[in-house]
Amino acid sequence: MTVDDDVVGWQTSPSRRGTLMIIQNCLFTIIACTWSIQHPNVPRLNESWLLILLNKCKWTVFTLFFPEFLMAHAILEFVMAMEDMKLLDKKRLLEENPPWFFRYFRRPLASSNDAETGRGKLPPASGDAERQEVKWSLTHCYIANMGGFYTHHNGEHHSLTTRHLLKHSRRIKSWVSEDDLNDKSKTDYFTKALAVLQITQLLLSLISRKVQNLAFSQLETLTLAFAICGVLTYGCSWYKPQNVKRPIEVFLRPDEEWDHSITRRTFDSLWKVVMNSEDLVNNEPIRRIPNDNIPKTKAHEIHYALYVLTALTVGFGSIHAIAWNFEFPTLIEQILWRVATLISTAAPPVALLAIPLAQILVPWGDSGDFKHTCLNVMKEFSWQETDNRRVQDAIKVLHGLLVNLEDKHFEQVFGNGIDSEEFLGEKLLKYVEKNEKLQKCLPKDFLPQFSQLVKILEGSLGSKRLWEAARTNTYPQRNLFGPLVNNGIIYVTSIVYCLARLSIIGVAFSSLRLMPESVYKTPWTNNFPSIE
């Protein structure tokens, strides 16, 4: 301490805030709504820390441009967990004290004799018959749906969702308690509390400024949109374990044969719903649950995720309209803000609502004629084959479907090109393409119809609706517009939307060079704790 350095008492904070304080508060809030809000699914077994970090960075950047996508996924993932809890409750496998919000949705259960229905408790842990059996909880549902459980079969890793575990609950040798699951979670509650505190401070500050007729900056308006998305995302993901690094192995009792339904997807992918594509590898092991898993719907129904995402996108974009009549440094920046706001509000809904139109299927001939022609082609092919057991089996299956008028997927007739070593569909297609004499005897559209069917079964088309339409009583069908229309709508609008988002971010920062004087006055919320 120098001689001229006076000693002073308690000093109050300045009554005004500076530009740097605005930037700091907004950046901390945006980080809280993009980085710390991430609840990624469980990584692959033995996945390196670098890949895990890069994956989280990828989703953080994605959230910076499309925060409503992450919010939609959190809502839909919560809905999926609630649906699973209803199934568990119906089978008397749910914990006695579920979260308060579930009690309003649970259905009254009719009394039944558990001994007769078989809907009692889970099987006891191996070697511990006296131990109280563990009931399922919301945490079990979340961690299962995010790939937290797996089993091994023939050296292959199979992730098990709640639906898989529910179907095979009687074969599980031992179960994991909720406390053990919470121990797997690496949730940083201190960081999460700071994020919630920062978001709350921003919301209260903006409400207070509006009440006191104090202006606020465009950057704060931008941050407000992130904060609202962050609040909803945090709320829906509050019970989801965070940063689980390694799944838990579940051991199944070897008293039954391997059930191939374990390889069936019990979920959809939000991105693939938007792109009208499907992971057709249904018989391959599920090694990892994707980070955009959502509830599965019927193929002929338009997934309600599109409408949820549309509503959230409109809501997120419209928040920027709060700054519609704010003061901007130049007229060009004001026009750019308004145009970018309109584009970010209108473009995604137009694209998302146009997607179902681009996915319309139309008939491409009579299904009965197509089946009879397939049957005749297989008979011709069987005469040329030395080992025709596979084609003879297919002839019997298809003939039985014709006689009994049953509706089955063509995969059960021809196999598929994904996990079948000998794909009959591809052999038949090559046989027809090389036999010009046979082609003259076939209907004009049969070859392109069968060629499309082969592409569907081998997974090269990747269209969910076409895959589900490839059934014996509905095929042949084809897209009205083609896949390029669907993909074109998504990619063009995504590029335009990203440009609009970059414009909003750029104008939000550039506007700080010339702000109304009242922007820098601080209301009472300046005393509210925040990160500065």
Side-chain angles (χ1 to χ4, degrees):
M1 180 182 297
T2 63
V3 176
D4 297 331
D5 194 3
D6 296 331
V7 177
V8 296
W10 184 276
Q11 297 291 300
T12 60
S13 299
S15 58
R16 294 171 62 84
R17 59 179 183 168
T19 304
L20 184 59
M21 182 183 294
I22 295 175
I23 294 175
Q24 286 177 342
N25 285 336
C26 290
L27 287 181
F28 276 122
T29 305
I30 291 174
I31 290 172
C33 297
T34 54
W35 175 263
S36 61
I37 205 172
Q38 299 292 334
H39 287 69
N41 287 345
V42 181
R44 289 176 182 266
L45 201 63
N46 300 323
E47 188 168 313
S48 69
W49 66 268
L50 181 60
L51 288 178
I52 295 174
L53 178 62
L54 291 176
N55 186 59
K56 188 172 182 178
C57 291
K58 177 190 72 174
W59 276 97
T60 300
V61 174
F62 186 83
T63 306
L64 187 64
F65 285 96
F66 305 97
E68 63 274 30
F69 189 94
L70 188 70
M71 179 169 53
H73 173 251
I75 294 173
L76 294 168
E77 195 174 31
F78 177 77
V79 171
M80 181 163 57
M82 290 296 99
E83 291 177 352
D84 291 341
M85 287 186 70
K86 286 183 179 180
L87 291 176
L88 292 167
D89 195 27
K90 186 178 180 181
K91 291 182 175 295
R92 304 293 197 275
L93 295 173
L94 189 65
E95 61 180 349
E96 294 181 359
N97 297 309
W100 63 269
F101 47 81
F102 177 73
R103 299 169 193 171
Y104 294 98
F105 299 99
R106 71 192 311 177
R107 298 175 182 175
L109 298 173
S111 59
S112 60
N113 189 337
D114 289 342
E116 294 179 0
T117 60
R119 298 187 301 182
K121 299 178 179 179
L122 286 172
S126 179
D128 191 8
E130 301 298 327
R131 179 182 174 181
Q132 178 68 32
E133 293 85 347
V134 177
K135 287 297 187 84
W136 301 50
S137 65
L138 178 58
T139 305
H140 285 94
C141 294
Y142 260 123
I143 202 167
N145 291 337
M146 62 188 284
F149 297 109
Y150 77 98
T151 189
H152 269 109
H153 177 69
N154 291 337
E156 292 285 358
H157 173 107
H158 297 265
S159 293
L160 303 174
T161 64
T162 304
R163 302 296 176 100
H164 292 137
L165 293 167
L166 183 59
K167 183 175 181 180
H168 302 280
S169 61
R170 289 295 176 182
R171 295 182 59 197
I172 298 175
K173 288 185 178 181
S174 61
W175 197 236
V176 185
S177 68
E178 186 173 3
D179 291 336
D180 293 333
L181 294 181
N182 289 330
D183 187 62
K184 294 283 290 183
S185 177
K186 304 300 187 298
T187 302
D188 189 343
Y189 290 103
F190 178 74
T191 303
K192 185 175 285 191
L194 289 179
V196 173
L197 190 68
Q198 191 71 18
I199 294 172
T200 304
Q201 194 274 342
L202 174 73
L203 295 175
L204 290 177
S205 175
L206 295 185
I207 293 173
S208 175
R209 300 188 74 85
K210 183 65 176 178
V211 171
Q212 299 180 36
N213 293 320
L214 297 177
F216 52 90
S217 65
Q218 289 84 346
L219 181 59
E220 289 172 301
T221 305
L222 169 68
T223 310
L224 174 64
F226 278 102
I228 294 176
C229 284
V231 168
L232 291 175
T233 305
Y234 263 124
C236 292
S237 302
W238 195 260
Y239 286 87
K240 182 179 180 180
Q242 192 175 26
N243 297 326
V244 179
K245 302 299 183 184
R246 186 180 177 86
I248 301 170
E249 184 170 6
V250 175
F251 297 94
L252 301 180
R253 299 182 187 277
D255 53 350
E256 298 179 19
E257 293 183 0
W258 175 255
D259 190 342
H260 289 281
S261 65
I262 287 181
T263 63
R264 293 287 174 179
R265 270 59 176 164
T266 61
F267 53 86
D268 273 329
S269 162
L270 182 54
W271 178 250
K272 289 183 177 180
V273 166
V274 172
M275 296 299 297
N276 186 31
S277 62
E278 164 139 339
D279 186 0
L280 301 180
V281 191
N282 279 321
N283 294 318
E284 284 291 310
I286 307 173
R287 297 182 177 88
R288 186 184 185 279
I289 307 296
N291 283 320
D292 61 342
N293 58 319
I294 59 175
K296 195 174 184 67
T297 60
K298 297 179 180 179
H300 63 275
E301 298 177 352
I302 297 174
H303 204 299
Y304 60 87
L306 292 177
Y307 303 115
V308 173
L309 189 57
T310 300
L312 295 177
T313 304
V314 172
F316 176 76
S318 61
I319 295 173
H320 301 92
I322 294 175
W324 190 271
N325 293 319
F326 280 16
E327 293 185 26
F328 288 81
T330 63
L331 179 62
I332 293 178
E333 286 169 301
Q334 185 182 51
I335 294 174
L336 184 58
W337 179 277
R338 291 179 175 180
V339 172
T341 298
L342 290 175
I343 292 175
S344 63
T345 304
V350 170
L352 291 171
L353 294 177
I355 287 174
L357 298 178
Q359 298 174 358
I360 294 176
L361 298 181
V362 293
W364 193 12
D366 182 74
S367 61
D369 293 342
F370 181 78
K371 285 183 288 188
H372 280 99
T373 306
C374 287
L375 198 60
N376 293 332
V377 169
M378 285 192 290
K379 291 178 180 178
E380 289 286 338
F381 178 73
S382 67
W383 296 335
Q384 309 295 326
E385 282 286 287
T386 53
D387 185 7
N388 61 3
R389 288 175 297 178
R390 174 68 182 88
V391 68
Q392 287 294 336
D393 292 339
I395 290 173
K396 291 179 181 178
V397 172
L398 187 56
H399 184 268
L401 295 176
L402 278 168
V403 173
N404 300 321
L405 300 177
E406 292 185 56
D407 185 28
K408 298 290 184 180
H409 199 279
F410 269 110
E411 181 185 20
Q412 299 184 21
V413 180
F414 301 115
N416 63 66
I418 301 166
D419 60 347
S420 300
E421 296 181 359
E422 295 185 0
F423 180 29
L424 179 59
E426 185 178 8
K427 289 185 176 181
L428 290 172
L429 180 61
K430 290 180 179 180
Y431 172 72
V432 174
E433 288 176 339
K434 293 179 180 179
N435 196 329
E436 296 182 0
K437 183 178 180 181
L438 177 62
Q439 291 181 29
K440 295 179 181 179
C441 303
L442 299 175
K444 180 182 63 175
D445 290 332
F446 175 78
L447 185 57
Q449 291 169 351
F450 192 76
S451 177
Q452 177 182 267
L453 179 61
V454 171
K455 291 179 180 178
I456 293 171
L457 296 179
E458 69 184 7
S460 59
L461 284 185
S463 170
K464 177 180 179 180
R465 287 204 161 188
L466 278 176
W467 170 265
E468 295 293 343
R471 306 184 66 85
T472 53
N473 287 353
T474 57
Y475 193 83
Q477 295 187 24
R478 59 182 172 182
N479 281 314
L480 180 61
F481 297 105
L484 290 179
V485 176
N486 187 101
N487 295 344
I489 292 173
I490 295 300
Y491 288 119
V492 170
T493 53
S494 296
I495 292 172
V496 173
Y497 181 79
C498 287
L499 293 175
R501 292 286 303 146
L502 287 173
S503 300
I504 290 175
I505 295 173
V507 173
F509 279 97
S510 68
S511 298
L512 291 173
R513 74 182 189 274
L514 193 62
M515 287 273 103
E517 193 271 341
S518 63
V519 168
Y520 300 103
K521 293 181 180 180
T522 54
W524 65 268
T525 53
N526 187 51
N527 299 319
F528 195 84
S530 63
I531 301 174
E532 297 180 358

